[in-house]
Amino acid sequence: MFKNQAVVMLGDINVDNIWPVPAIPQPGRDGLVDNVKMECGGAILNSCILLDRLNVQTILLGCVGEDIWADHLRRELAQTRINLSALQTSRAANTGLDFILVTPDGERTMFGYRGANKWLDSAKITPSLFQDAAMLHISGYALLEAPQSEAVLRAVRYASERNIPVSIDTGLEPVMRNKAGFREILPALRICISGVEEVDQLLRAGSPKEAAEKLIAAGVGLAAIKLGRQGSLLMRKGETVRCPAFSVDVVDTTGAGDAFSAGLLYGYLQGLSLGASGMLASALGALAAMADGAGFSLPDKQTLVAFLREAQWPEGVDAENLKAELLTHFS
């Protein structure tokens, strides 16, 4: 296990504006809402908040602007233990913003302004950042464009030189736009969290099993293939585990994938079994989908433990032993 060490979390930092709409309006029509919610957001920040709530030390590596949005983020994050010493500020653009339309089925449609995120300066990323690091985790969106993508490659190099595990949650749009960048770092990855479509774009894979196998063959230590409502498939050399999703009433899927990633990273860092790590990730993803928004709306440890104890576990897993492993760990 990696006690008393921090996870360096590299990726986009945004302010989410969440609009629950009855339906996506036709072009030229109005979409009226009864309320709007503003949250700290961005894939990496959502995972960071969850890990912090599970008592994992984190260092947030990203870039914001010099504006009221950045001030809001700093005020909100001051209530956490997240280390903000590596958070950069740029005058080149405003802080990243997401406008998220959520329909009654919980599905989200996102309009994103990446803003200052892409101006992450690689020259400010030094070896000292990784001196006490347990892991480097990257959001695939950080590979969308330079100079942020250059900062990713620099961070991966420093982590690899120090034998620090590197993980990534790919995302489809980043993979489609920067296949070369993802292929370059694949051999350095201890964990790759992705989907069949993303892996197909990179390595030509037609099924979850083939996608996982292709990632392992490319040098990845642990391949995690997200399958939405069907759960996930986890594979490492000599072991394959299928983790069904929990059945819950979905409110908003914003942040569900980020919560899944946080659970998988937590399981790895704490030395949990592959099955327990996968079902922990599924539980956190389910809880995120039951919440209105992401950020500080994501579950805390107490909510997670209650869910693990009381929820109807899906068929197809050794629920008794996996549940016991997780509840014993969190007791």
Side-chain angles (χ1 to χ4, degrees), residues 28 41 45 56 65 107-108 122 128-129 134 140 181 224 229 240 268-269 272 281 287 318 320:
L45 185 51
V56 175
E107 193 56 66
R108 62 170 177 78
S122 63
S128 62
L129 181 63
R229 295 180 185 273
T240 301
Y268 172 82
L269 293 166
L272 298 178
L287 283 166
D318 185 1
E320 183 177 351

Side-chain angles (χ1 to χ4, degrees), residues 42-55:
I44 209 69
L45 185 51
N46 288 332
S47 296
C48 206
I49 288 170
L50 261 176
L51 287 173
D52 180 68
R53 289 181 166 183
L54 295 177
N55 297 321

Side-chain angles (χ1 to χ4, degrees), residues 228 230-234 242-248 256 259-261 263-264 275-289 304 307-308 313-314 317:
Q230 283 70 53
S232 64
L233 176 73
L234 310 182
R242 185 69 180 261
C243 298
F246 287 89
S247 179
V248 298
F260 176 93
S261 295
L264 197 64
S277 297
M279 292 311 296
L280 173 62
S282 290
L284 286 172
L287 283 166
L304 169 64
F307 181 83
L308 292 172
W313 280 57
V317 297

Side-chain angles (χ1 to χ4, degrees), residues 14-21 24 36-39 42 69 95-102 108-114 252 254:
N14 302 320
V15 173
D16 288 349
N17 292 272
I18 303 166
W19 297 52
V21 298
I24 304 297
V36 174
K37 187 173 186 179
M38 187 170 73
E39 280 279 11
W69 302 113
T95 300
L97 296 173
D98 285 327
F99 290 88
I100 305 169
L101 306 182
V102 182
R108 62 170 177 78
T109 300
M110 184 179 297
F111 299 86
Y113 164 70
R114 301 195 65 240
D252 179 1
T254 304

Side-chain angles (χ1 to χ4, degrees), residues 84-263:
L84 303 181
S85 62
L87 184 60
Q88 299 180 19
T89 303
S90 174
R91 295 181 177 178
N94 291 326
T95 300
L97 296 173
D98 285 327
F99 290 88
I100 305 169
L101 306 182
V102 182
T103 47
D105 61 356
E107 193 56 66
R108 62 170 177 78
T109 300
M110 184 179 297
F111 299 86
Y113 164 70
R114 301 195 65 240
N117 284 299
K118 76 172 186 178
W119 294 105
L120 184 67
D121 185 356
S122 63
K124 296 179 181 178
I125 299 176
T126 63
S128 62
L129 181 63
F130 300 93
Q131 183 174 348
D132 297 313
M135 173 176 278
L136 167 65
H137 179 63
I138 304 160
S139 166
Y141 285 87
L143 278 166
L144 270 173
E145 52 190 328
Q148 188 185 27
S149 58
E150 298 166 353
V152 170
L153 297 180
R154 187 184 184 105
V156 169
R157 184 174 76 250
Y158 283 148
S160 298
E161 289 171 352
R162 289 156 181 78
N163 200 31
I164 294 168
V166 180
S167 68
I168 194 167
D169 186 349
T170 61
L172 179 57
E173 190 69 21
V175 167
M176 293 178 67
R177 292 196 186 189
N178 188 8
K179 294 183 180 66
F182 280 91
R183 288 172 180 147
E184 182 176 351
I185 67 172
L186 275 180
L189 297 179
R190 190 72 57 87
I191 300 174
C192 182
I193 304 166
S194 195
V196 176
E197 193 171 357
E198 292 97 305
V199 181
D200 185 49
Q201 289 282 331
L202 289 173
L203 303 171
R204 297 296 180 213
S207 69
K209 183 174 183 292
E210 185 179 10
E213 290 171 344
K214 289 287 185 74
L215 288 175
I216 299 298
V220 172
L222 168 60
I225 308 300
K226 292 188 286 189
L227 304 172
R229 295 180 185 273
Q230 283 70 53
S232 64
L233 176 73
L234 310 182
M235 182 183 292
R236 58 190 177 193
K237 288 185 177 180
E239 186 176 10
T240 301
V241 176
R242 185 69 180 261
C243 298
F246 287 89
S247 179
V248 298
D249 293 327
V250 175
V251 174
D252 179 1
T253 57
T254 304
D258 311 327
F260 176 93
S261 295

Side-chain angles (χ1 to χ4, degrees), residues 75-93:
R75 283 196 304 271
E76 292 295 302
L77 294 176
Q79 64 185 289
T80 73
R81 292 159 295 181
I82 298 170
N83 186 332
L84 303 181
S85 62
L87 184 60
Q88 299 180 19
T89 303
S90 174
R91 295 181 177 178

